[in-house]
Amino acid sequence: MKQLCTKLCLLMTTVITSTFAAPRIHFEVSFSEPQAHYAEIKMEISDIRKDYVDVKMPVWTPGSYLVREYSKNVESFEACDENGAQLPVTKINKNTWRISSDKRSQVVVNYRVYGFEVSVRTNFIDDAHAFLSPAATFMYVDGMINHPVDVTIIPHPSWSKISTGLEPVSGRPNTYHAADFDILFDSPIEIGNQDVFTFEAAGVLHEIAMVGGGNYDRERLKKDGAKIVEEATRIFGVNPNKRYVFIVHNYQSGGGGLEHLNSTVLGASRNGYQNERSYLSFLGLVAHEYFHLWHVKRLRPIELGPFNYDAENYTTALWIMEGFTAYFDNLLLRRCGFLNESSYLQALANDVNTVENRAGNRLQPVALASFDAWIKYYRPDENSANTSVSYYNKGALLAMMLDLKILAATQGQQRLDDVLKAAYEEFYVKKKRGFEEHEFQALIERVTGVSVDELFHAAHTVEPLDYNHYLNAVGYELVDYNKGRELPELGMTTTASDGRIIVTGVSRGTGAWNGGINVRDELIAINGERLDVNGRELNRVMQTAAIGDTLNIMVARDGKIRELNVVLGRDTKGAFSIVPLQNATPEQARLGKIWLSLE
């Protein structure tokens, strides 16, 4: 009797399970016209059984804070049931399609995606390869972001390789699994004939997929990549991945990168690997994006996950996330031995020059630059330098000052590394959530015993930064080689175009700004002398001019000739460098060596 009951229970469980089967979502991606830059997407949605199903395309991709309207590249959207019968579809807003499914057991969606934009965050498809940014490719069922999903790739017959951080499904060729759509959207896919090689570091298998050729040295990339991985892992004490993928797009001239959970996409110049300066820049990009696998992808502000893929996700903390990463990327190169002391200090000084010589630094706090990334950073215009500051550069400088303050206050026993390791453990490992900015500050102070209120305050104001207060403590100083110089400044930038001199920028508060020079003005003459396209006459005038002189400048604007009187002001731009502090104490020198990994 007991055995019969057990069999009946098992039978009932089987019936219930089949009747109420969990929904399944599967994509198939193919390429019938790659030369025309198209991918065909089939989306199979099984066992939802609703009156209607809404499928949505994200409007942005994490890590790139701009609404990109990926749905603009979708066409030929249609839906049918498991028997091939067409289902009514209504587009209810810019990125949502409503399918009248009438409780059918299966809905099959077919659509095409156009991709022909070269970047690390958008699709690019041609006859040589396909790069798929998942947020720009795959739709999700409304309300089912947390649902698992499978993706099958059918490469074009001329392509032989697939590179992605997605987990392969055993026994199903070219099929990959994501535990949810957040992971899918965070796993770019490269399909083509890329050169693939691997190395192991920090106990993790790393794959490098080189797209587009180049004069790179495989063995050097593996060796140098391993050094960066080991140094970055040493900071956090643990590497959370079993496998990591670098997808590198090599162009005639390229750059940029985008971080992902267990992969990154990088842009590079295909023939720049044998040039030491270009190669170091590439290694800096590798270090930056790899550092993000902890700092952004796991340790993050609370606003950056779970994501709303329909709209902007605002945070004031990108100065911490991108800024700290921009500080550690060069610091990692220094620790790996790729940068010597003077090169590293000059890289920091370059950030100072960028920040302090930008008029927008005196108008926009760096925390507000973070919040406004959606409308400003990714949409620069001719006036951006006058109105905004970069949370990368200024954030890096604030990170430097935090590092130096902690080093000095703890006599070299702790530094920013210790803070990040503790924050990773506190928020990602233990609390499994993002942090509020005030929580991050409180953690710094709890871990180090050092008050950092003035630096967090500085992130929310435009008050001048006292760099030397922090640099002097470790035996260095910032010097301005332009200090005390009295030179005239016109206050504009130009370019030569079709035999004409065109104004490309006007700096706030300068003579050109006050005198009415506009971007896109064509410069014709100055003080009655015709200007040559090489700028020799303009340079001659500026070399003999003095502060307070008035220049008569003739311009063509919208087809009309205008004469403007411009009064030259004083050049206020600095020329900054970081150098050893004269007469540094033994303690300052000791701390400086710890900072720069010189001992």
Side-chain angles (χ1 to χ4, degrees):
M1 185 68 175
K2 182 178 180 181
Q3 189 177 24
L4 177 60
C5 288
T6 301
K7 290 182 178 179
L8 285 172
C9 287
L10 288 172
L11 178 61
M12 290 175 66
T13 301
T14 303
V15 171
I16 290 171
T17 302
S18 62
T19 303
F20 300 99
R24 292 179 293 110
I25 299 175
H26 175 258
F27 287 96
E28 182 181 280
V29 183
S30 57
F31 304 91
S32 65
E33 293 185 301
Q35 82 290 345
H37 320 300
Y38 279 96
E40 290 76 39
I41 316 296
K42 178 195 284 187
M43 180 184 188
E44 297 174 318
I45 309 164
S46 303
D47 299 313
I48 289 186
R49 299 183 183 275
K50 298 170 66 176
D51 291 334
Y52 64 84
V53 177
D54 286 347
V55 295
K56 305 173 73 72
M57 175 75 81
V59 304
W60 71 289
T61 189
S64 182
Y65 307 103
L66 177 68
V67 171
R68 296 186 182 275
E69 309 294 17
Y70 291 127
S71 59
K72 71 180 183 292
N73 292 319
V74 173
E75 60 182 63
S76 303
F77 186 102
E78 61 182 20
C80 61
D81 65 13
E82 62 270 31
N83 298 314
Q86 291 291 117
L87 299 176
V89 176
T90 303
K91 193 172 184 183
I92 61 174
N93 60 38
K94 65 181 181 180
N95 66 319
T96 308
W97 289 258
R98 176 163 291 173
I99 304 164
S100 298
S101 51
D102 195 25
K103 295 184 173 60
R104 283 172 168 81
S105 63
Q106 186 177 53
V107 173
V108 180
V109 177
N110 286 283
Y111 59 94
R112 306 181 83 208
V113 170
Y114 179 80
F116 196 52
E117 181 178 348
V118 175
S119 85
V120 295
R121 60 193 71 87
T122 51
N123 290 337
F124 183 90
I125 305 162
D126 67 6
D127 58 359
H129 75 114
F131 170 68
L132 300 182
S133 174
T137 305
F138 301 110
M139 298 188 185
Y140 64 96
V141 177
D142 192 20
M144 296 181 66
I145 283 289
N146 295 326
H147 201 278
V149 58
D150 289 344
V151 176
T152 298
I153 305 293
I154 303 176
H156 188 268
S158 62
W159 303 339
S160 62
K161 296 176 184 176
I162 300 172
S163 299
T164 180
L166 288 170
E167 285 297 314
V169 177
S170 178
R172 296 170 63 187
N174 299 341
T175 298
Y176 303 87
H177 178 76
D180 56 44
F181 276 81
D182 284 319
I183 292 176
L184 176 61
F185 292 149
D186 210 18
S187 304
I189 305 170
E190 174 67 32
I191 311 111
N193 299 306
Q194 58 270 25
D195 180 22
V196 177
F197 49 97
T198 63
F199 67 90
E200 189 166 317
V204 177
L205 179 66
H206 292 77
E207 174 184 316
I208 303 178
M210 300 295 278
V211 183
N215 63 353
Y216 54 88
D217 180 330
R218 273 183 164 205
E219 295 307 311
R220 187 182 186 189
L221 280 176
K222 289 193 286 186
K223 181 182 69 173
D224 293 345
K227 287 182 180 180
I228 292 170
V229 168
E230 295 286 358
E231 284 296 329
T233 303
R234 190 171 290 116
I235 293 172
F236 293 91
V238 62
N239 196 306
N241 291 315
K242 295 180 180 178
R243 186 173 70 97
Y244 189 94
V245 179
F246 294 95
I247 298 173
V248 185
H249 290 146
N250 294 294
Y251 307 107
Q252 183 175 2
S253 177
L258 188 63
E259 70 275 7
H260 297 282
L261 199 64
N262 66 345
S263 63
T264 186
V265 185
L266 309 175
S269 298
R270 67 170 62 95
N271 293 316
Y273 294 95
Q274 300 303 316
N275 176 283
E276 282 305 303
R277 184 174 180 179
S278 175
Y279 183 65
L280 281 174
S281 178
F282 176 74
L283 291 182
L285 181 62
V286 170
H288 185 99
E289 301 306 336
Y290 198 82
F291 195 82
H292 273 320
L293 79 84
W294 295 275
H295 194 67
V296 166
K297 299 315 302 181
R298 290 168 175 84
L299 173 60
R300 57 174 176 77
I302 202 162
E303 301 89 353
L304 296 185
F307 296 113
N308 175 4
Y309 292 100
D310 276 349
E312 297 86 348
N313 291 229
Y314 296 102
T315 178
T316 59
L318 291 180
W319 70 274
I320 298 174
M321 308 318 297
E322 291 292 353
F324 283 29
T325 305
Y327 173 62
F328 273 97
D329 56 20
N330 281 325
L331 194 57
L332 286 171
L333 297 193
R334 168 64 205 141
R335 292 176 183 177
C336 289
F338 299 132
L339 292 177
N340 60 29
E341 178 184 0
S342 61
S343 297
Y344 175 69
L345 293 174
Q346 190 54 54
L348 279 175
N350 290 343
D351 281 333
V352 178
N353 281 293
T354 298
V355 170
E356 295 301 322
N357 291 329
R358 187 177 177 101
N361 179 47
R362 293 175 284 279
L363 188 68
Q364 185 188 51
V366 70
L368 182 60
S370 168
F371 193 86
D372 281 347
W374 299 90
I375 58 174
K376 287 182 179 287
Y377 187 80
Y378 286 95
R379 287 194 177 103
D381 60 27
E382 70 281 350
N383 200 39
S384 292
N386 293 315
T387 62
S388 63
V389 68
S390 167
Y391 47 77
Y392 285 87
N393 305 115
K394 193 164 186 178
L397 294 174
L398 287 168
M400 176 194 75
M401 290 186 279
L402 279 166
D403 196 15
L404 300 186
K405 178 163 189 178
I406 294 167
L407 268 170
T410 64
Q411 291 78 52
Q413 296 302 304
Q414 290 183 302
R415 59 181 310 176
L416 197 53
D417 300 50
D418 302 287
V419 168
L420 294 185
K421 183 178 181 179
Y424 181 84
E425 180 70 21
E426 173 83 8
F427 296 108
Y428 176 70
V429 177
K430 292 181 179 178
K431 294 185 176 178
K432 303 185 187 306
R433 64 168 176 83
F435 60 80
E436 302 276 5
E437 193 172 319
H438 68 88
E439 291 181 305
F440 192 81
Q441 179 183 345
L443 180 136
I444 294 176
E445 295 175 344
R446 184 174 74 251
V447 169
T448 66
V450 179
S451 172
V452 293
D453 188 64
E454 81 277 9
L455 290 170
F456 275 75
H457 173 74
H460 292 266
T461 72
V462 292
E463 296 171 7
L465 299 178
D466 186 356
Y467 300 100
N468 278 328
H469 175 73
Y470 304 93
L471 285 166
N472 290 173
V474 298
Y476 290 88
E477 66 175 331
L478 180 74
V479 296
D480 178 5
Y481 291 114
N482 280 351
K483 188 175 181 179
R485 297 179 67 186
E486 295 289 325
L487 296 175
E489 180 189 29
L490 186 52
M492 66 182 183
T493 56
T494 62
T495 187
S497 176
D498 296 327
R500 303 179 301 159
I501 303 175
I502 306 297
V503 177
T504 56
V506 179
S507 298
R508 183 186 296 272
T510 61
W513 174 283
N514 295 327
I517 299 290
N518 285 189
V519 169
R520 291 184 289 278
D521 281 353
E522 177 190 354
L523 301 182
I524 297 176
I526 186 166
N527 291 345
E529 298 289 336
R530 183 80 165 94
L531 292 174
D532 63 283
V533 72
N534 295 317
R536 286 188 292 265
E537 182 62 24
L538 180 58
N539 290 336
R540 184 192 66 77
V541 170
M542 290 303 298
Q543 287 170 2
T544 58
I547 298 169
D549 285 358
T550 298
L551 305 181
N552 179 264
I553 299 178
M554 179 181 290
V555 304
R557 182 182 301 167
D558 191 31
K560 294 185 176 181
I561 301 298
R562 299 189 61 172
E563 290 191 42
L564 303 168
N565 291 318
V566 174
V567 179
L568 294 177
R570 184 177 70 85
D571 187 354
T572 60
K573 289 186 172 63
F576 297 100
S577 285
I578 298 174
V579 298
L581 181 66
Q582 291 186 358
N583 303 316
T585 68
E587 176 64 7
Q588 288 170 323
R590 183 182 74 85
L591 292 174
K593 288 181 179 180
I594 295 173
W595 175 41
L596 297 184
S597 304
L598 296 174
E599 63 175 21

